[in-house]
Amino acid sequence: MTRRGEKVMPAPVSDREALTRRWFLSADERGNPSTSIDSRHPDGLAWSTGNRVRALIHGSVYFAELHAAVESMGSGDLLLFTDWRSDPDELLTGPGSEVGAVIAAAARRGVDVRGLVWRSHLDQLNFSASTNRALGDEIEAAGGQCLLDMRVLRLGSHHQKLVVLRHARHPERDIAYIGGIDLCHGRRDDAAHHGDPQAQPMAAVYGPRPPWHDVQLAVQGPAVGDAETVFRERWDDPAPLSRSPVRIVVDLVRGQDRRARPMPPQHPDPAPCGSAAVQLLRTYPNRAPGYPFAPRGELSVARGYRKALARAQSLIYIEDQYLWSVDVARVFADVLARRPSLRLVVVIPRFPDQDGGTSMPPNLIGREVAMRVLRAAAGPRVAVYSIENAEGTPVYVHAKVCVIDDTWACVGSDNANRRSWTHDSELSCAVVDAGSASSESWPRTLRLDLSREHLGADLDPTALSDPSRSFDAFRAAAAALDAWHRDGRRGPRPPGQLRRYTQPALSPWTRAWATPLYRVLYDPDGRSFVKRWARRF
């Protein structure tokens, strides 16, 4: 009991909590006091502890686990999901496992199914309006509710890829899947990288079944409650799903559901079951009118990266679909310039996903500038690679992964570009495994698992654990495979997938017309004018 006038001392901070505080954003640093995601946690923490996190590398691994998990759900359970692109006929495993059919069957068993799918732009522009609508129709017919959400900036999208499964009678089974994998064609690839049999049309260089590399996280523990809160904030937004008079009329004619049914009360968070601290990071743009849960937007993805990168000492490992934008590149370049011993390894696609005469150059513009900024800051300490399968077909890297010093890892829907950091809705999961020894930390395990796949060799884990030796192993593997290709593929193929990244030079005329398209359509800026002018996130 505290006596009157006696000074109350704050509770001591454990080593684990101190480590997490150094890497994660505080609620103030998130910069969005209107969200309820931080107020859910005790002691003013803006993250949860006691979580178990697993990386599901490759769409086939994720889809198989998701299929089994949804099939086991029953009456009174809750299934929530958000998606950017959906194909109701995409198979999760084999025949009879179509995404739409599996989710609809859950709704018919009495599972409370709620979905928020981006309404999308026109199919004629290589988007997915019709298939997203078809998934919603199938779920609605089965008794669930799936809304087509267009509450975005002009030319923007809802890019979050989230599934939350809550169990009324078995809370120990509660789980959230967070990452970069959509429920659509092209994603069900495996470690051999021969592509999804239900292919998505892409640039010709990727072949008829484009190989696809991706990562989704499976999260159990209290962070599942945070993931559910992310969904609920969007679901409970009273704003119309679209402000377009044309879309409103079309929905009325089609009888499209436009009002969200009230959500049931949220269950208590699942009990702690692991050692990982998890912080959910998001992007919501500065939009008028603003979202009730983010009236001035939220840029915690960008801010989370900026804070974590500022602590980097030895190795930053990135897998990304784009790595565009001078604004994003500067965040990495600044820390590389300050730390002479810091190295950066990047794995990105060798070619854009589209190869049209007007689509490819804008894809290359942003990356060309970003590469120039990074190499100016650190020269040979920056190594950029693409990957290919055993047959030599390029693998499209769609993963969004960052591991810093084997201590902080982030996997989500956001790409390292201006669109993801400022303009579209995004959701990412930052992890600090503060409960394990550094040599066994989950971020290190993630980096080593990805490295082993790309290197294609059973290397000594202690070699890859050392930042310098890991950096050199990537460089040597890529050099060997590049040399084998230059020599006409004579002799045994060297192990691994890694190729040194190169891209064609663009003419001054191409830069002149492609740069405005890149800035306006491909990589727009969702920040306020003040933040743009000040170059702040």
Side-chain angles (χ1 to χ4, degrees):
M1 181 175 179
T2 303
R3 296 178 180 177
R4 182 176 299 177
E6 185 177 9
K7 184 177 180 180
V8 178
M9 300 299 293
V13 176
S14 68
D15 290 342
R16 294 181 184 181
E17 184 178 325
L19 173 69
T20 310
R21 286 180 185 272
R22 288 195 294 270
W23 287 90
F24 280 169
L25 297 175
S26 67
D28 287 343
E29 288 170 328
R30 183 185 293 273
N32 178 17
S34 297
T35 182
S36 60
I37 196 170
D38 292 333
S39 61
R40 308 178 68 257
H41 302 297
D43 302 323
L45 300 182
W47 57 85
S48 64
T49 58
N51 300 289
R52 182 187 181 212
V53 181
R54 292 176 294 120
L56 307 179
I57 301 173
H58 310 305
S60 62
V61 176
Y62 169 44
F63 282 2
E65 177 167 323
L66 179 63
H67 185 201
V70 174
E71 290 277 89
S72 70
M73 300 182 81
S75 179
D77 294 341
L78 182 64
L79 188 163
L80 312 173
F81 74 97
T82 67
D83 211 4
W84 177 78
R85 187 183 201 117
S86 303
D87 285 300
D89 64 338
E90 171 67 12
L91 297 176
L92 294 174
T93 50
S97 66
E98 294 84 354
V99 168
V102 169
I103 297 177
R108 285 191 289 270
R109 292 194 303 271
V111 177
D112 188 348
V113 174
R114 314 286 181 112
L116 286 168
V117 179
W118 179 46
R119 187 178 184 113
S120 187
H121 305 311
L122 297 175
D123 293 343
Q124 292 85 342
L125 300 175
N126 291 321
F127 288 101
S128 52
S130 60
T131 59
N132 288 3
R133 182 180 296 111
L135 177 67
D137 290 345
E138 188 168 357
I139 292 171
E140 296 267 347
Q145 190 173 31
C146 184
L147 303 179
L148 299 178
D149 192 351
M150 201 63 176
R151 292 172 291 197
V152 296
L153 288 179
R154 187 181 300 276
L155 303 177
S157 76
H158 282 301
H159 198 240
Q160 297 172 342
K161 303 125 187 333
L162 166 70
V163 178
V164 178
L165 309 180
R166 301 299 302 265
H167 301 79
R169 290 170 292 280
H170 296 282
E172 72 279 2
R173 298 180 185 172
D174 290 352
I175 192 165
Y177 297 102
I178 304 167
I181 303 180
D182 297 283
L183 303 174
C184 71
H185 294 166
R187 274 41 171 187
R188 189 166 59 97
D189 201 357
D190 57 25
H193 287 308
H194 292 139
D196 187 340
Q198 294 171 277
Q200 176 182 323
M202 290 177 59
V205 70
Y206 290 105
R209 279 176 55 172
W212 192 274
H213 175 72
D214 223 331
V215 181
Q216 194 86 356
L217 295 188
V219 181
Q220 294 171 279
V224 174
D226 290 346
E228 181 177 347
T229 298
V230 171
F231 181 92
R232 285 175 177 265
E233 287 186 334
R234 281 184 55 190
W235 185 267
D236 292 338
D237 184 349
L241 294 170
S242 173
R243 291 180 288 189
S244 165
V246 174
R247 292 193 180 104
I248 292 172
V249 170
V250 169
D251 288 349
L252 290 173
V253 171
R254 297 184 74 256
Q256 188 79 43
D257 206 342
R258 293 185 56 83
R259 291 186 178 276
R261 294 198 295 260
M263 291 281 288
Q266 185 166 350
H267 290 304
D269 290 351
C273 60
S275 60
V278 169
Q279 181 169 64
L280 297 189
L281 305 174
R282 306 179 298 181
T283 299
Y284 290 114
N286 183 40
R287 176 177 176 264
Y291 302 103
F293 50 86
R296 296 184 179 179
E298 178 179 320
L299 303 181
S300 58
V301 167
R303 293 179 175 200
Y305 267 85
R306 186 178 59 187
K307 181 170 183 175
L309 285 166
R311 297 196 57 79
Q313 299 291 331
S314 57
L315 181 65
I316 304 168
Y317 178 88
I318 301 173
E319 295 188 359
D320 199 78
Q321 182 182 3
Y322 296 124
L323 190 55
W324 288 349
S325 169
V326 66
D327 298 301
V328 173
R330 282 197 193 104
V331 178
F332 290 86
D334 287 348
V335 67
L336 285 164
R338 290 197 305 269
R339 307 270 161 71
S341 62
L342 180 61
R343 295 170 173 85
L344 172 66
V345 172
V346 180
V347 181
I348 53 178
R350 187 175 184 85
F351 304 98
D353 57 342
Q354 302 298 321
D355 54 6
T358 58
S359 59
M360 181 181 282
N363 276 269
L364 298 175
I365 283 284
R367 182 172 289 164
E368 180 183 67
V369 177
M371 293 297 108
R372 188 183 308 128
V373 168
L374 292 172
R375 288 183 169 126
R381 292 184 287 120
V382 174
V384 185
Y385 304 100
S386 59
I387 57 177
E388 66 179 29
N389 65 16
E391 291 71 38
T393 305
V395 176
Y396 191 74
V397 178
H398 190 259
K400 301 93 168 58
V401 176
C402 183
V403 182
I404 301 177
D405 290 351
D406 289 345
T407 303
W408 180 93
C410 192
V411 177
S413 68
D414 69 284
N415 294 296
N417 65 357
R418 193 167 47 213
R419 176 182 281 276
S420 281
W421 281 23
T422 70
H423 193 274
D424 292 359
S425 75
E426 304 285 1
L427 174 64
S428 289
C429 182
V431 180
V432 171
D433 191 356
S436 300
S438 176
S439 61
E440 302 171 352
S441 72
W442 183 85
R444 174 170 291 180
T445 299
L446 173 62
R447 181 178 66 81
L448 295 185
D449 287 347
L450 292 167
S451 297
R452 288 191 193 98
E453 175 181 333
H454 300 326
L455 291 167
D458 188 15
L459 298 174
D460 180 2
T462 58
L464 290 181
S465 295
D466 178 81
S468 176
R469 294 172 70 184
S470 179
F471 187 87
D472 291 343
F474 268 66
R475 182 172 56 189
L481 193 51
D482 286 343
W484 181 75
H485 279 282
R486 282 196 308 270
D487 292 343
R489 303 188 179 189
R490 293 195 301 269
R493 183 184 186 277
Q497 306 169 332
L498 293 164
R499 304 288 307 277
R500 187 174 66 87
Y501 174 78
T502 59
Q503 71 178 51
L506 300 174
S507 69
W509 164 242
T510 300
R511 286 194 184 91
W513 68 258
T515 298
L517 283 180
Y518 160 73
R519 290 177 176 169
V520 174
L521 298 179
Y522 288 80
D523 202 20
D525 197 327
R527 292 175 292 181
S528 66
F529 174 79
V530 172
K531 286 182 177 177
R532 293 186 205 185
W533 183 81
R535 294 182 177 178
R536 291 190 293 108
F537 291 105

